[in-house]
Amino acid sequence: MRTKEGTVVSKSGTKTIVVKVETSKTDPKYKKRYSVANKFHAHDETEKFKVGDDVTIYETRPLSRLKRWTVDMPTPTEKPTKATPTKKAKK
């Protein structure tokens, strides 16, 4: 099962969201890396995702003319850790 991670950029209808997936590629001749973005229409059964959410989608059978992906779950985001206080030098 293929999966992709991306960001919700649009809610295009009932139970449908558009997910933007960014990947990086390398030019074969010049070896320069560049980013490529693709948009995928995905099925959102619960309609709980909104624009800006990071999600994971997986490939399914065709559900409509454009929908071949289904939302799996929100992508876990890293929580910032508490900064440890530094010890001050004694005078």
Side-chain angles (χ1 to χ4, degrees), residues 3 43 49 55-58 70-74:
T3 62
H43 183 67
F49 298 104
V55 295
T56 301
I57 58 176
Y58 65 92
T70 301
V71 177
D72 187 19
M73 62 185 152

Side-chain angles (χ1 to χ4, degrees), residues 4-24:
K4 296 183 183 289
E5 293 180 358
T7 305
V8 178
V9 293
S10 173
K11 288 185 66 98
S12 67
T14 306
K15 298 184 179 182
T16 303
I17 59 174
V18 180
V19 179
K20 182 178 180 181
V21 177
E22 292 188 8
T23 57
S24 60

Side-chain angles (χ1 to χ4, degrees), residues 3-70:
T3 62
K4 296 183 183 289
E5 293 180 358
T7 305
V8 178
V9 293
S10 173
K11 288 185 66 98
S12 67
T14 306
K15 298 184 179 182
T16 303
I17 59 174
V18 180
V19 179
K20 182 178 180 181
V21 177
E22 292 188 8
T23 57
S24 60
K25 291 188 173 185
T26 305
D27 184 87
K29 181 177 180 181
Y30 297 109
K31 309 297 186 222
K32 180 175 174 148
R33 294 186 63 158
Y34 59 96
S35 63
V36 177
N38 292 320
K39 291 181 182 178
F40 297 97
H41 291 255
H43 183 67
D44 179 15
E45 183 65 36
T46 59
E47 296 189 40
K48 68 179 181 179
F49 298 104
K50 55 187 180 299
V51 175
D53 290 347
D54 291 328
V55 295
T56 301
I57 58 176
Y58 65 92
E59 194 172 31
T60 59
R61 65 180 177 82
L63 299 171
S64 69
R65 184 170 67 99
L66 296 174
K67 288 199 295 190
R68 270 90 173 125
W69 298 86
T70 301

